[in-house]
Amino acid sequence: MSRSRTAILAALALVAGASGTALAVVPGDPGIAAVPCTVDYQVQNQWSTGFTANVTVTNLSAAKTSWSVKWAYAGNQQITNGWNAKISQSGTAVTAANESYNGALANGGSVSFGFQASYSGGNALPTTFTLDGVTCNVDGGTGGPTDPGPTDPGTPSTRVDNPYAGAKVYVNPEWSAKAAAEPGGSRVSGQPTGVWLDRIAAIEGVGDGMGLRDHLDAALAQKGSGEEVVQLVVYDLPGRDCAALASNGELGPTEIGRYKSEFIDPIAAILADSKYASLRIVTTIEIDSLPNLVTNVGSRPTATAACDTMKANGNYVKGVGYALNKLGAIPNVYNYIDAGHHGWLGWDDNFAPSAQLFYEAANAEGATVDDVHGFITNTANYSALKENNFTIGDSVAGKSVRESKWVDWNRYVDELSYAQGFRNQLVTAGFRSAIGMLIDTSRNGWGGSARPAGPGATTSVDTYVDGGRFDRRIHIGNWCNQAGAGLGERPQAAPATGIDAYVWMKPPGESDGSSSAIPNDEGKGFDRMCDPTYTGNPRNGNNPSGALGDAPVSGHWFPAQFQQLMQNAYPPLP
Ligand code: BGC
C-alpha cells in the first residue's frame, strides 16, 4: 500500500518538475496550455491474478506515421500478450509501438490497443504516459498544487476538472447564523457547509426557512465576479437509511415514482435555470444508501430487513441512477456519489463489491459514468483523516496492525488513504480516470486533551494502535453524535493527490439523531445508537454507542455538540 503510493507520488513529482505546471487542458478553458496528447487507460476486466486493459491514445499535435506510447507500473503488473500494438516490457517500463497497419495518426486522431497482464497485490493505474517521448496527461492527478489534473477525452462537458480549484464555496446563511449565535462560534461561522435537501419540502423551504432558489440566489450574491461552488446534499431516497432509524425519511420503500417526480425533477428544473449557470453546483448523492446494499443485506450478521427490501426492489439503485442522469444533464452540476468511509467499506469483502454496485447505479435509469464527477467519503461520519502514529503496514510484537481489535483486518486506517485507494478501485470498476474525491472533515478532527501525542506502547498491537490513534471512538462503527469529536481540517481545495477538496458537508452542530424517542413530522425514528446507555448491535460489534446525551432529532441544532466540536477542533481554533 504505502509502497505503491510512494511510487505514484514520485512519478507525479517527476512530471511536474519536467514540464512545469501546465500538464493538461480542461475542455472549454482557453486559459490553460494544450497537451500534445491524451491517453485513456481503462481496465476492462480484472480477476485476482490478472486483468485486461484497453488504451486509447489521441494525438493533439502534428500528424504521425508511426508512434510509441510508454508508461510504467507502480506494482508488479506483467503484460503477457497484446493486440493492435507491439507491446514490450522491461521491469516496470512498458512500450507499445504501432503495428504496420496502424502507424498513421492524424492530428486529432485516435488509436486503440489492448492487452492482458498478470499481477498480484494491487493493480494501481499508471499515472504518466508519453507519446513519442512527450508527456500526454497524468491520469488520476486531480489533486496536488503542482498538478492541475487531467483531461478526459471522453467527457462531453465544459466542466472544470476540480470545481473547488480557484473558487469560493457558499456559506449557508442559516447555518452561519446559528454558529455565530453560539459563544465562540464566530471563529467558524464563515465556513462553507452543505445545504441538505433532505425532504420534498426543503426544495421550497421548510417553514420560514430558505428553499433551493433562495440558497442559489444568495450564492450568486456571494459569488461576485469570481467562481462560486454551492454544495447540495440530495437525500430523500425511498426507504431511506435502511440500516438505522435516526434518518428514516418521508418516502416509503416503494415510492420511487414520487422520488422522481416530486423530488429530483423539481430540483433539476431549478438547477437548470440559466440564471444559475455561472455557479459550480456540487451535489452529494444519497449518502449511506448504496453501501448499505453491500454490507447490511443477505446472510451478513449486520443485515436488516429494510436493507434486504431495498436491495430486492432496486429502488436505491434506480433512484441514484435517476438522480445522476437528471442532474448530470445540467452542464454546471458536479455529481459526487457518497462512498461511505474506511470503517465501513475498507474491508476486502466490501471494497470491490461497492465500487461495482456504484458502477451499476451509475449506469441505471439512463445515467452513464459521464454523469459522475467523483465521490465523497466520510459524509457526516467521524473517521480520522490521517492517523500519524501507525500505518497499515506496521507490525508490533509479531502482529500486523491489521490484527488489532480496532483495525480488525481492515485494509485502511484512515480516510485519506481510503479515499485515494478507493478512487483507484472506482476507476478499475469503470469510472472515468479523472474522477476526484471529497472528504467530509466537518467532525473528524479528534483534537483536545485526549489526542495522543505519539505512538502507543509496543507491548502489543492493541496497546500500540489504541494508544496512538487519534480517532477516540469506542468502536469504528459508532456514528451518532460522538463524544470527544472535534472539527476537522477546514474546508480547502486540492489538499492531496486525487482529492478535490476537504469539505464540511455535514453542518457541524446539527444532530445525527435524538438520544431518546421524540415525536416529529419528518419521518425520523429513534435509533438507540444515539442513546448513550445503549450497548450496541452487530454493526458496532456490540459496543457502547459513545453518543452524547440530550440530543435533538437528526438535523436539529445541538448546541452542546457544537461547543464540543469547537473545543476539540484539530487543527485547533484560534
Ligand atoms: C438528517 C437530515 C439533516 C442532515 C444534516 C441528517 O442526519 O437526517 O435531516 O438535514 O443530517 O444535519
Side-chain angles (χ1 to χ4, degrees), residues 282-412:
V282 163
T283 61
T284 285
I285 301 294
E286 296 294 354
I287 71 169
D288 295 353
S289 56
L290 299 173
N292 269 322
L293 298 192
V294 174
T295 66
N296 296 327
V297 293
S299 59
R300 300 267 190 135
T302 51
T304 69
C307 290
D308 280 335
T309 299
M310 296 320 298
K311 182 168 183 186
N313 70 21
N315 285 342
Y316 279 3
V317 168
K318 287 180 207 155
V320 168
Y322 190 82
L324 291 171
N325 181 31
K326 287 285 161 172
L327 302 175
I330 304 163
N332 57 319
V333 169
Y334 297 77
N335 286 323
Y336 290 80
I337 302 177
D338 181 72
H341 59 99
H342 86 278
W344 188 357
L345 303 185
W347 282 274
D348 291 352
D349 290 358
N350 305 338
F351 196 68
S354 298
Q356 259 159 33
L357 182 64
F358 296 164
Y359 185 77
E360 190 191 317
N363 288 284
E365 300 279 322
T368 74
V369 291
D370 288 340
D371 294 314
V372 181
H373 204 74
F375 291 78
I376 177 166
T377 82
N378 204 43
T379 308
N381 204 271
Y382 295 87
S383 291
L385 182 66
K386 180 100 184 63
E387 291 287 5
N388 291 338
N389 292 329
F390 60 96
T391 75
I392 198 74
D394 292 352
S395 286
V396 164
K399 290 205 165 172
S400 154
V401 151
R402 295 189 63 216
E403 296 178 68
S404 65
K405 263 178 79 180
W406 173 255
V407 177
D408 191 23
W409 297 104
N410 203 311
R411 288 275 172 203
Y412 298 91

Side-chain angles (χ1 to χ4, degrees), residues 196-199 235 240-241 246-248 287 380 505-507 510-513 522 524 554-556:
W196 286 60
L197 300 172
D198 64 346
R199 67 199 88 169
Y235 187 50
R240 192 178 72 187
D241 204 20
S247 284
N248 289 166
I287 71 169
M505 207 54 86
K506 172 80 184 184
E510 292 186 7
S511 174
D512 297 317
E522 301 172 29
K524 304 279 173 60
S554 65
H556 292 218

